Amino acid sequence: SCADLSQFSDFARMTKVLAVLCLAALALADWNPTLIADTYINLGELNRDPNTVNCTRYAQLFTSDGILHSPGIPDAQGWSSIIAACQQSHSQVNPLISFQTLNIPVMSWNTEKRLGFSWVINGVRTSDGQAVYAPAITAMFMNRNAQTEEAWSFYDDQLIKTGVATAPPFNSTQITNLYTSLGGLGKGVGNCSAWAQLFTSNATNNEPGVPPSMGWESLTALCTRRVNRWATFLPSVQVEIPVMSWNTEKRLAFQWTITGESKDGKSFVVPAISVLFMQPDGLIYNSWDWWDDRALPPPPPAN
């Protein structure tokens, strides 16, 4: 634990990365990511009554000027707009019994909080009385008090409205596979040049516990540090949700599992969520990752 580290005489010489992760572990104890996500996915209703919602409680997950991005409805900013968006969502599915499948809280390097979770929109479509079952992923970006400044949800809006899945708006699977495999696609452990080429020249990647990496050189170095943790690297993707914005920009969220063998022969299985924001041409300009870095093989020593 963080407290245990203080007994070592060389504590002052521990790496900056370890210090950040230690502070993050302590800070994560002062908020309830599972409760936040449950409140969000069930539109503020915490009493498990599937026929009612509490859109005021839902809106209060956000700061007073927070922004909600959801497929199929306009962005909502501020409590009154978020309440209206909540009511619109409830008008489509009632009763609503959504549930989480994965919840990953992260403390950013600057002590802001963010939360990624996978869930299922589950209930009854009000238009025809048919069952609704739609996989979803949400990314919440929060202040230090765990109030959401911006939330992005990914799901197939037509699957909710009609029961018919939308054809993928772009070739998301190729992007997902290259991203999760660090550019390797089964050809050894990673190809960092290919991985960096997924991004624009000035793109930013946000990995848990460390400052953002910006630009091809920094992204290649980040990828190399990841690759050097592994003797064998075999990631797998469980859920992939592509979204096309109204302005033709592309967004992609996926739940995946980091699996592999470290160079000292130990095996690792670590759940992950990633969210990519892309230009119309499919190049990533901003990406965010959620995983527990402490559950991965230790990074190689810095040169």
Side-chain angles (χ1 to χ4, degrees):
S1 68
C2 296
D4 293 337
L5 292 175
S6 62
Q7 66 182 292
F8 294 103
S9 60
D10 62 345
F11 177 67
R13 296 192 294 273
M14 299 297 286
T15 66
K16 291 181 179 179
V17 171
L18 181 57
V20 169
L21 292 173
C22 184
L23 289 171
L26 290 173
L28 286 177
D30 69 359
W31 58 309
N32 191 330
T34 300
L35 179 62
I36 291 170
D38 271 341
T39 304
Y40 181 88
I41 67 178
N42 287 297
L43 300 179
E45 176 52 58
L46 297 177
N47 297 321
R48 296 296 183 263
D49 181 348
N51 296 291
T52 65
V53 298
N54 187 328
C55 289
T56 299
R57 182 185 289 139
Y58 176 84
Q60 289 172 348
L61 291 172
F62 294 78
T63 59
S64 60
D65 59 348
I67 305 174
L68 170 65
H69 306 270
S70 299
I73 59 176
D75 291 346
Q77 182 168 13
W79 286 335
S80 60
S81 294
I82 292 172
I83 288 172
C86 169
Q87 293 168 340
Q88 182 175 349
S89 294
H90 187 231
S91 71
Q92 296 177 344
V93 182
N94 185 19
L96 175 68
I97 315 173
S98 297
F99 56 90
Q100 299 181 59
T101 56
L102 178 65
N103 184 299
I104 308 177
V106 165
M107 172 67 72
S108 297
W109 63 277
N110 61 355
T111 75
E112 290 185 344
K113 298 177 173 71
R114 54 188 171 93
L115 177 61
F117 52 94
S118 294
W119 52 294
V120 174
I121 302 168
N122 184 63
V124 177
R125 187 181 305 110
T126 55
S127 62
D128 60 9
Q130 297 300 306
V132 171
Y133 186 95
I137 293 174
T138 294
M140 286 182 161
F141 300 93
M142 303 170 171
N143 61 22
R144 297 177 184 182
N145 297 320
Q147 294 173 300
T148 301
E149 298 174 327
E150 196 164 9
W152 296 81
S153 282
F154 296 74
Y155 51 81
D156 185 345
D157 184 59
Q158 289 303 307
L159 191 57
I160 296 171
K161 291 179 178 178
T162 68
V164 179
T166 305
F170 56 94
N171 188 358
S172 57
T173 299
Q174 181 179 12
I175 296 168
T176 300
N177 288 341
L178 279 169
Y179 188 90
T180 57
S181 69
L182 299 174
L185 289 181
K187 301 173 183 177
V189 182
N191 180 333
C192 289
S193 177
W195 190 78
Q197 292 300 313
L198 289 169
F199 296 82
T200 63
S201 60
N202 61 346
T204 302
N205 174 268
N206 301 272
E207 177 180 311
V210 297
S213 299
M214 181 180 293
W216 283 335
E217 182 177 352
S218 181
L219 291 166
T220 300
L222 172 68
C223 174
T224 301
R225 290 195 298 273
R226 292 182 184 177
V227 165
N228 287 340
R229 294 181 182 219
W230 302 99
T232 303
F233 188 59
L234 298 169
S236 60
V237 177
Q238 287 72 55
V239 180
E240 177 185 277
I241 307 175
V243 171
M244 179 79 79
S245 301
W246 62 271
N247 60 355
T248 74
E249 288 191 350
K250 300 176 174 69
R251 303 197 302 267
L252 176 59
F254 44 92
Q255 175 188 333
W256 55 298
T257 304
I258 302 169
T259 60
E261 181 183 1
S262 63
K263 293 186 176 180
D264 61 359
K266 296 179 180 178
S267 61
F268 292 82
V269 179
V270 180
I273 289 173
S274 292
V275 172
L276 314 180
F277 296 90
M278 294 173 279
Q279 299 180 152
D281 62 6
L283 290 177
I284 302 164
Y285 64 83
N286 199 4
S287 66
W288 297 83
D289 298 311
W290 282 261
W291 58 66
D292 184 353
D293 192 72
R294 296 164 298 175
L296 293 171
N303 294 328

